[in-house]
């Protein structure tokens, strides 16, 4: 192969929330995200990506926004081929996927288990932190980066630093992608993916966690009507944290995001719960900054 060749790959993070589980569409039996090369037959990047999503998963997709473009020379499997990864985030509601790419829905936290703090510290957390600290011990700069990213040494956990945490684990050689072997990596460091795909998944999660605080994107993931508890559980699933119920409700009410439908439904204990929907004005102006879902922690 001639040195200096480049290939642009289009890669999609299709995110959904089912129950209280954030999910991502995968292909290749869970080892990759829907993707394919950008070719001269594609009239645009997004059109090309939609073609690959359709052929590989058969899953409908509406909203797509560009995430990030990665083009690191030392992250590819072929040193003579510069791979440019152009990633997109799509928000969908989980459906069956009849495509030809062995599509499957998987939980986010199967791939990044250290990101889910809804029930306290994740399983394998102490092993992961011990390995990171051992790697960082001889370099004060590394120690500081690890503490900042993982909320150590008295620093607060920042749910938005998803990509920073994955990149540190990669740099420390604790994830399978660092060795190029999907089955390798520290126990508790999550399931590896092909190429840059888990890195791109981390980027998508980080974008969505940040975005949900200033734009009402959750409506893309919710049914047309929902209970207040369902809305709170969805936000908690996305950010990987439990929220203070009364504070969450107060902030939702203050921002005037939702309205009652006039109908009720029975929740798990049989008590009727009011159904809500997003206000039409919110849906029409959802691209405006300043309207957000709060994340007041419990």
């Amino acid at each position: 192969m001639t040195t200096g060749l480049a290939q642009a790959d289009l890669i999609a993070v299709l995110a959904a929330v089912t129950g209280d589980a954030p999910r991502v569409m995968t292909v290749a039996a869970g080892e990759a995200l829907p993707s394919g090369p950008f070719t001269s037959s594609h009239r645009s990047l997004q059109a090309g990506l939609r073609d690959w999503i359709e052929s590989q998963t058969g899953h409908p997709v509406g909203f797509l926004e560009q995430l990030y473009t990665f083009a690191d020379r030392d992250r590819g499997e072929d040193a003579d081929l510069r791979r440019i990864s152009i990633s997109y985030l799509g928000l969908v509601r989980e459906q069956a996927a009849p495509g030809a790419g062995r599509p499957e829905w998987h939980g986010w936290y199967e791939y990044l288990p250290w990101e889910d703090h809804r029930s306290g510290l994740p399983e394998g957390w102490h092993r992961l932190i011990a390995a990171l600290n051992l790697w960082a011990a001889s370099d004060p700069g590394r120690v500081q980066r690890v503490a900042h990213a993982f909320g150590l040494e008295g620093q607060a956990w920042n749910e938005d630093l998803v990509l920073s945490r994955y990149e540190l684990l990669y740099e420390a050689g604790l994830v399978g992608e660092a060795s190029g072997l999907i089955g390798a990596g520290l126990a508790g460091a999550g399931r590896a993916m092909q190429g840059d795909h888990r890195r791109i998944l981390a980027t998508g999660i980080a974008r969505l966690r940040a975005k949900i605080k200033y734009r009402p994107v959750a409506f893309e993931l919710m049914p047309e009507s929902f209970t207040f508890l369902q809305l709170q559980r969805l936000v908690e699933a996305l950010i990987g944290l439990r929220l203070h119920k009364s504070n969450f409700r107060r902030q939702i009410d203050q921002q005037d995001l939702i309205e009652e439908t006039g109908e009720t439904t029975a929740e798990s204990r049989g008590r009727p719960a009011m159904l809500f929907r997003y206000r039409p004005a919110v849906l029409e102006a959802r691209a405006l900054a300043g309207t957000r879902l709060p994340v007041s922690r419990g």
Side-chain angles (χ1 to χ4, degrees):
M1 183 174 293
T2 304
T3 301
L5 291 178
Q7 176 178 304
D9 291 328
L10 308 172
I11 305 175
V13 178
L14 296 185
V17 177
T18 303
D20 63 352
R23 311 262 281 166
V24 63
M25 169 58 72
T26 69
V27 295
E31 292 187 354
L33 299 171
S35 63
F38 179 59
T39 70
S40 59
S41 65
H42 295 137
R43 59 183 176 81
S44 68
L45 293 171
Q46 194 171 117
L49 182 63
R50 289 181 184 275
D51 285 348
W52 285 116
I53 293 172
E54 172 62 28
S55 65
Q56 293 178 356
T57 74
H59 196 287
V61 58
F63 169 91
L64 279 175
E65 73 168 47
Q66 192 165 343
L67 275 174
Y68 196 77
T69 298
F70 293 102
D72 302 89
R73 186 183 298 277
D74 60 348
R75 296 283 284 246
E77 298 174 359
D78 187 340
D80 292 327
L81 179 65
R82 170 68 67 88
R83 287 193 174 274
I84 302 171
S85 298
I86 306 169
S87 57
Y88 283 79
L89 172 66
L91 305 181
V92 299
R93 296 171 191 168
E94 182 174 338
Q95 300 179 31
R102 290 185 293 163
E104 296 176 357
W105 284 99
H106 285 266
W108 280 1
Y109 301 127
E110 177 181 337
Y111 299 98
L112 297 99
W114 57 87
E115 293 294 333
D116 188 4
H117 289 239
R118 288 173 293 174
S119 299
L121 293 180
E123 183 178 355
W125 172 265
H126 295 294
R127 185 188 307 113
L128 199 68
I129 296 303
L132 271 173
N133 285 337
L134 182 63
W135 166 77
S138 61
D139 184 334
R142 287 181 178 178
V143 172
Q144 186 176 21
R145 289 167 59 207
V146 169
H148 175 68
F150 286 85
L152 307 177
E153 306 296 335
Q155 298 196 47
W157 171 264
N158 184 341
E159 65 273 10
D160 294 347
L161 300 180
V162 189
L163 181 59
S164 296
R165 286 186 280 270
Y166 174 76
E167 294 284 56
L168 274 170
L169 292 168
Y170 184 99
E171 189 178 341
L174 300 178
V175 294
E177 293 90 341
S179 64
L181 300 174
I182 287 182
L186 180 72
R191 181 176 179 178
M193 303 183 86
Q194 294 176 9
D196 263 353
H197 289 211
R198 188 156 55 144
R199 186 189 197 189
I200 289 168
L201 173 59
T203 306
I205 295 173
R207 171 71 63 84
L208 190 50
R209 284 182 172 183
K211 194 178 185 70
I212 202 171
K213 297 171 187 175
Y214 64 89
R215 292 186 182 176
V217 296
F219 83 94
E220 299 275 4
L221 304 167
M222 298 289 290
E224 289 186 7
S225 60
F226 46 85
T227 67
F228 197 89
L229 181 61
Q230 286 174 326
L231 178 61
Q232 180 174 335
R233 290 289 181 257
L234 179 137
V235 176
E236 290 175 338
L238 294 177
I239 66 173
L241 295 169
R242 288 295 180 208
L243 304 177
H244 191 282
K245 183 177 180 179
S246 60
N247 286 350
F248 182 81
R249 175 136 201 169
R250 183 172 60 253
Q251 291 180 59
I252 288 288
D253 290 343
Q254 289 173 349
Q255 294 183 48
D256 210 23
L257 294 175
I258 60 178
E259 64 184 10
E260 296 179 0
T261 66
E263 299 178 348
T264 60
T265 186
E267 293 193 322
S268 58
R269 297 181 183 178
R271 294 177 295 181
M274 183 66 65
L275 285 170
F276 295 85
R277 63 188 168 215
Y278 276 95
R279 293 183 182 275
V282 171
L283 301 185
E284 293 169 5
R286 61 185 178 269
L288 295 178
T291 304
R292 62 192 183 280
L293 285 176
V295 291
S296 299
R297 296 170 180 77

